[in-house]
Amino acid sequence: MKTVFVFTLLSLLSFQIFSQRGNIKWSSEGNSYYRIQSDGIVQYTLPSNNPEVIISREQLTPSESEFPLNVSHFTFSKDEQKVLLFTNTKRVWRINTKGDYWILNIATGKLQQIGKSMPESSLMFAKISPDGKQVAYVSENNIYVENLATSEVKALTTDGTITLINGTFDWVYEEEFYCRDGFRWSPDSKSIAYWQIDASDTKKFYMINNTDSIYSTIIPIEYPKVGETPSSSKVGVVSIDDAKTTWMDIPGDPRQHYLVRLEFIPSTEKLLIQQLNRKQNQSKLFIADPISGKAKVIQEETDAAWVDIYRTGNKYEVDFTNNFIWYNKGKNILWTSEKDGWRHLYDVSLEGKGEKLITNGAYDFIDLSYIDNKNGYVYFMASPTNATQSYLYKTKLNGKGKLELMSPKSEQGTHGYNVSTTGTYAVHTFSNHFTRPAAEIISFVNHKPLNVETSIEANLSRLQEAPKSEFFKVTTAEGVEMDGWMVKPTNFDISKKYPVVFYVYSEPGRATVTDTYGIDGNRNYIGDMADDGYIYISLDNRGTPAPKGSAWRKSIYRKIGNININDQAMAAKEILKWNFVDPDRVAVWGWSGGGSATLNLLFKHPEIYKTGISIAAVANQLTYDNIYQERYMGLPQENMEDFVNGSPITYAKNLEGNLLYIHGTGDDNVHYQNAEMLVNELVKYNKQFQFMPYPNRSHSLREGEGTTQHLKTLYTNYLRTYCPPGGR
């Protein structure tokens, strides 16, 4: 038993370390990686995996301090002789992207703070120039460059304000496009390309803080609601020498288009820019000349619903960017498209030679792992036969190869790969709904573990538990087949009837039915739902981002609040036919989009759902931001009826069951006004319900002393009271 415990502890620890790409950094030669540890920054050399402290705590300690810097993120210069350290970080909207930066010269040991004259924790997205001589960063919506030899700071922009934003983005670009880092160094270190967002004409939404003083304060956010004109965006290239900007001449009204990708084409001075129209159903790629500003279209695509933006990497890492996938020394890019009904990879020439399909077949490309230019292969994630799982495959870059499975057949579930820069090694992670997460380092091309004794395959039986949940499929009366998972009560007795609790999300943002460890848990419930006698179920309807083809995902276009709700309800009807389900004890809950679905299900299908717990819901679709809502629903000026028909508030008068509604008053994402609009409508029709506002809490309801425990207690007590547990 002791051996099993030790291995499990190590495997879970390694998974936490290795599962996120930002937790390790591969060296440029690809045979070692770096990690932040308590004793400093440590380099692990492969295949031995021997550690060596290359930057000690002493080296990380400023001369005027007794303590080392608390480093949350680091990057090396191109020659790996300098390291940029991000510390003293502060949250901006979703993640910590403001802070202080320091540079350590590894050869000399010199540790110097960057931007010392700027306000504390105000620097964003600092990057060392390709030649290693300068650092550029954003502070208070202006871009600066600092000479590392002289510490001289030069402002490259000076017009930045709260609403005129240089080098970073406004709330909605960050939330919906994951655009945060808004500038790029040129390959020759002589200029910087950057976004400028003009939100001066965007209406402000005001949140109110009533608790931090005896007089209330207002918190304004530039927040473009659906139907409102977007912020203006443009791209400029500023010269380091004279701080003059040349603006790129991208055709189209800048307030009716979005610029979502920008990079210098490798080994050139040209820019590659992606533009979306406001409806996001047309994409154009431009090559732009930084000197003249002239731009020409090299590729365009339209979709009857929307054009998806493929992103590789962890969108919640501080250095995440919507990068292009460069190939063939920058002469080509790998591009994702759903033009044939499946999400596939295409080879797009930047030299006018057209495009070529690489992946081919009735399956979806999920994520890119590695491009092997030398041998002509591309490695990527897909799951042709099970949409709840994910595996590594490879195929020929020329589009003529067969699909080859690389992940071990014995490990059925969800895999992940963080591949070294040269493709020599990779961190391989694996879990499924009954196998605890584990990680191993492998030789990438042959998928062989470097340490057989501690490999996932050798210890698979030790990692596995008795499954809490079972995965199943349900087909509705309309012929829609949906994936689901179910946790049955402990000591399940088929002769008894049990209450069922449905967990929903149901929108294009994410799927809830994935074969991963812990997917079947409920973090808001105190205790074990199975031990208490609940059946716990989640289902993925049409419109969720499962790898089932474009028709599945985009069937929800202009139908949020309708097709997803209908699928969920029709599937629930089939489940209620099971003789061990109690039709009088049916509950549903969800958060954000899932909170909206909960309201719609409770209001539109009271014959099925008797109790609902809705958290941070969009009660009225017209209150949400324009990028998300217009992408999936169109423009309210053209099809207002779809927004009305999809909004829970339209059906509030039909409430018959038990409703607990929860919302944070400081929610900058789904505004608290949704709660007040919904409350007004329920009061209007004398509908009784319970309501819990959390003062100044954001969308995640994680701020404030005691909040998490209070929310769990509230949730658990309400569910137990109005949907009593146990078999009968």
Side-chain angles (χ1 to χ4, degrees):
M1 179 64 73
K2 184 179 291 185
T3 303
V4 175
F5 173 76
V6 170
F7 176 79
T8 301
L9 183 63
L10 289 173
S11 67
L12 284 170
L13 179 62
S14 64
F15 179 82
Q16 291 166 356
I17 292 170
F18 290 129
S19 61
Q20 299 298 328
R21 300 185 188 194
N23 288 343
I24 72 166
K25 291 198 177 296
W26 290 104
S27 62
S28 58
E29 73 276 7
N31 62 5
S32 65
Y33 61 90
Y34 305 98
R35 269 180 44 198
I36 301 173
Q37 295 185 179
S38 59
D39 47 354
I41 296 178
V42 181
Q43 182 178 27
Y44 288 78
T45 301
L46 302 174
S48 65
N49 209 30
N50 289 331
E52 178 187 0
V53 178
I54 62 163
I55 301 175
S56 67
R57 287 172 56 89
E58 289 72 26
Q59 288 174 289
L60 294 174
T61 304
S63 58
E64 65 274 16
S65 174
E66 299 179 25
F67 305 102
L69 299 172
N70 182 15
V71 179
S72 62
H73 188 81
F74 66 97
T75 54
F76 284 95
S77 59
K78 193 174 182 179
D79 61 6
E80 297 191 356
Q81 294 305 300
K82 299 182 183 74
V83 61
L84 182 65
L85 308 164
F86 186 41
T87 185
N88 198 25
T89 67
K90 290 186 177 180
R91 180 177 165 194
V92 179
W93 310 128
R94 289 297 184 100
I95 66 171
N96 288 24
T97 52
K98 284 186 178 180
D100 295 327
Y101 283 90
W102 296 70
I103 283 277
L104 175 68
N105 186 312
I106 297 174
T108 66
K110 180 182 178 182
L111 180 66
Q112 65 184 99
Q113 185 175 0
I114 303 302
K116 289 182 69 173
S117 61
M118 305 293 170
E120 183 181 1
S121 295
S122 71
L123 271 60
M124 306 176 74
F125 313 116
K127 290 186 280 292
I128 302 173
S129 60
D131 64 10
K133 297 178 180 179
Q134 304 171 92
V135 172
Y137 49 83
V138 173
S139 180
E140 299 185 321
N141 292 338
N142 278 311
I143 304 171
Y144 298 86
V145 65
E146 184 165 336
N147 186 297
L148 292 177
T150 65
S151 295
E152 179 187 358
V153 176
K154 177 188 286 188
L156 299 181
T157 67
T158 57
D159 56 355
T161 65
I162 291 175
T163 58
L164 189 65
I165 304 165
N166 296 298
T168 185
F169 297 89
D170 61 1
W171 182 92
V172 72
Y173 256 86
E174 175 170 334
E175 177 68 20
E176 305 302 354
F177 290 135
Y178 305 104
C179 289
R180 293 186 287 265
D181 179 354
F183 73 91
R184 309 285 185 265
W185 273 106
S186 65
D188 64 4
S189 303
K190 294 180 179 179
S191 61
I192 284 175
Y194 67 98
W195 276 267
Q196 184 183 83
I197 305 295
D198 185 353
S200 57
D201 291 330
T202 299
K203 294 178 183 176
K204 290 179 173 61
F205 184 85
Y206 295 98
M207 300 186 297
I208 301 177
N209 181 343
N210 284 315
T211 61
D212 287 350
S213 66
I214 59 173
Y215 285 94
S216 62
T217 57
I218 59 172
I219 304 167
I221 304 175
E222 287 72 34
Y223 188 108
K225 302 272 186 178
V226 60
E228 295 289 325
T229 305
S231 300
S232 172
S233 63
K234 59 182 179 179
V235 166
V237 177
V238 60
S239 166
I240 303 301
D241 182 51
D242 60 11
K244 291 183 178 179
T245 293
T246 300
W247 297 107
M248 301 302 100
D249 185 14
I250 307 296
D253 183 346
R255 296 202 68 192
Q256 294 297 323
H257 292 82
Y258 301 107
L259 301 176
V260 294
R261 277 194 180 106
L262 158 67
E263 282 189 84
F264 280 96
I265 300 171
S267 303
T268 78
E269 299 304 314
K270 303 287 187 182
L271 291 172
L272 187 61
I273 300 169
Q274 184 184 6
Q275 179 198 63
L276 294 178
N277 66 335
R278 178 173 173 177
K279 288 186 177 181
Q280 301 168 67
N281 58 11
Q282 183 182 61
S283 166
K284 292 182 180 181
L285 286 181
F286 293 89
I287 290 181
D289 184 339
I291 297 175
S292 67
K294 293 181 179 179
K296 66 175 182 177
V297 177
I298 63 159
Q299 193 258 11
E300 56 185 304
E301 179 180 344
T302 58
D303 193 289
W306 68 86
V307 175
D308 262 323
I309 301 175
Y310 167 68
R311 305 173 181 91
T312 183
N314 181 358
K315 63 191 179 186
Y316 294 116
E317 288 176 8
V318 66
D319 60 348
F320 173 82
T321 54
N322 285 326
N323 286 337
F324 293 103
I325 306 170
W326 302 105
Y327 162 59
N328 190 23
K329 299 180 180 179
K331 297 177 182 178
N332 301 64
I333 59 170
L334 295 190
W335 188 253
T336 60
S337 174
E338 300 184 355
K339 65 181 69 178
D340 70 351
W342 298 92
R343 186 190 300 119
H344 281 309
L345 271 181
Y346 291 80
D347 179 350
V348 176
S349 169
L350 303 186
E351 299 179 331
K353 298 178 181 179
E355 61 185 36
K356 175 177 59 183
L357 177 65
I358 296 176
T359 59
N360 188 17
Y363 65 90
D364 280 314
F365 162 89
I366 296 175
D367 195 9
L368 179 72
S369 297
Y370 185 70
I371 302 171
D372 181 356
N373 287 292
K374 181 179 179 181
N375 296 300
Y377 282 98
V378 59
Y379 293 80
F380 60 96
M381 306 305 295
S383 188
T385 60
N386 188 329
T388 71
Q389 300 175 339
S390 184
Y391 300 90
L392 179 69
Y393 285 86
K394 75 173 183 179
T395 193
K396 282 286 190 179
L397 276 166
N398 62 13
K400 298 178 180 179
K402 63 179 181 179
L403 188 65
E404 298 181 52
L405 175 66
M406 301 300 294
S407 300
K409 292 182 180 179
S410 61
E411 298 167 16
Q412 299 288 305
T414 300
H415 296 259
Y417 296 84
N418 182 353
V419 186
S420 70
T421 48
T422 56
T424 307
Y425 302 104
V427 174
H428 167 224
T429 59
F430 171 74
S431 81
N432 60 31
H433 64 284
F434 60 90
T435 304
R436 291 183 294 278
E440 62 185 356
I441 300 177
I442 62 172
S443 175
F444 181 62
V445 174
N446 60 20
H447 211 288
K448 299 295 183 183
L450 299 190
N451 188 326
V452 175
E453 288 186 7
T454 60
S455 69
I456 295 173
E457 188 168 7
N459 293 276
L460 199 56
S461 61
R462 298 178 181 180
L463 290 164
Q464 291 175 341
E465 303 173 344
K468 283 178 56 181
S469 57
E470 56 190 78
F471 279 59
F472 66 95
K473 294 181 184 292
V474 60
T475 302
T476 70
E478 297 172 346
V480 178
E481 184 184 76
M482 297 164 60
D483 286 305
W485 53 254
M486 170 173 55
V487 181
K488 288 180 179 176
T490 307
N491 301 319
F492 175 72
D493 184 345
I494 198 168
S495 67
K496 294 183 178 180
K497 290 186 178 294
Y498 295 91
V500 60
V501 178
F502 289 97
Y503 167 54
V504 294
Y505 187 77
S506 85
E507 293 194 11
R510 65 185 179 90
T512 60
V513 184
T514 58
D515 193 1
T516 53
Y517 189 78
I519 191 67
D520 47 16
N522 186 344
R523 63 189 174 97
N524 293 309
Y525 189 85
I526 298 174
D528 190 303
M529 293 183 70
D531 287 347
D532 287 349
Y534 286 107
I535 299 170
Y536 192 38
I537 291 176
S538 192
L539 302 160
D540 272 342
N541 49 262
R542 287 175 292 173
T544 54
K548 293 184 175 183
S550 176
W552 172 272
R553 290 186 292 275
K554 293 181 176 177
S555 59
I556 202 169
Y557 183 60
R558 291 177 53 173
K559 297 176 183 176
I560 291 179
N562 285 298
I563 194 172
N564 53 326
I565 301 307
N566 186 68
D567 280 359
Q568 288 284 336
M570 293 304 99
K573 280 187 176 181
E574 298 302 315
I575 289 169
L576 293 188
K577 294 177 183 178
W578 300 346
N579 57 12
F580 54 83
V581 172
D582 187 344
D584 294 324
R585 290 182 291 164
V586 179
V588 58
W589 87 276
W591 198 307
S592 193
S596 309
T598 296
L599 295 174
N600 263 325
L601 290 167
L602 203 61
F603 298 161
K604 297 174 84 169
H605 295 280
E607 77 283 4
I608 300 174
Y609 304 95
K610 312 302 182 185
T611 297
I613 301 176
S614 173
I615 305 175
V618 178
N620 182 344
Q621 290 188 16
L622 296 174
T623 67
Y624 201 55
D625 76 67
N626 55 3
I627 293 179
Y628 180 94
Q629 214 67 42
E630 292 176 7
R631 177 191 303 153
Y632 301 124
M633 292 294 290
L635 301 179
Q637 292 90 333
E638 298 177 359
N639 53 295
M640 176 63 77
E641 67 279 4
D642 294 328
F643 292 85
V644 174
N645 293 338
S647 294
I649 197 170
T650 303
Y651 311 97
K653 59 181 175 290
N654 299 330
L655 175 64
E656 294 180 14
N658 312 298
L659 169 62
L660 169 61
Y661 187 77
I662 300 166
H663 212 126
T665 70
D667 192 335
D668 56 60
N669 184 353
V670 179
H671 296 149
Y672 180 68
Q673 72 178 153
N674 282 275
E676 296 193 338
M677 287 179 175
L678 180 64
V679 167
N680 268 349
E681 197 69 6
L682 291 167
V683 169
K684 175 181 176 181
Y685 291 101
N686 193 26
K687 298 297 179 179
Q688 301 302 305
F689 61 98
Q690 291 193 27
F691 176 42
M692 181 63 213
Y694 281 96
N696 294 332
R697 272 66 166 189
S698 69
H699 193 58
S700 61
L701 295 176
R702 61 181 176 175
E703 304 85 3
E705 188 176 354
T707 302
T708 299
Q709 189 61 30
H710 187 277
L711 175 60
K712 288 182 176 182
T713 304
L714 175 67
Y715 177 103
T716 304
N717 290 346
Y718 191 85
L719 187 62
R720 288 174 178 166
T721 300
Y722 292 98
C723 185
R728 296 176 180 174

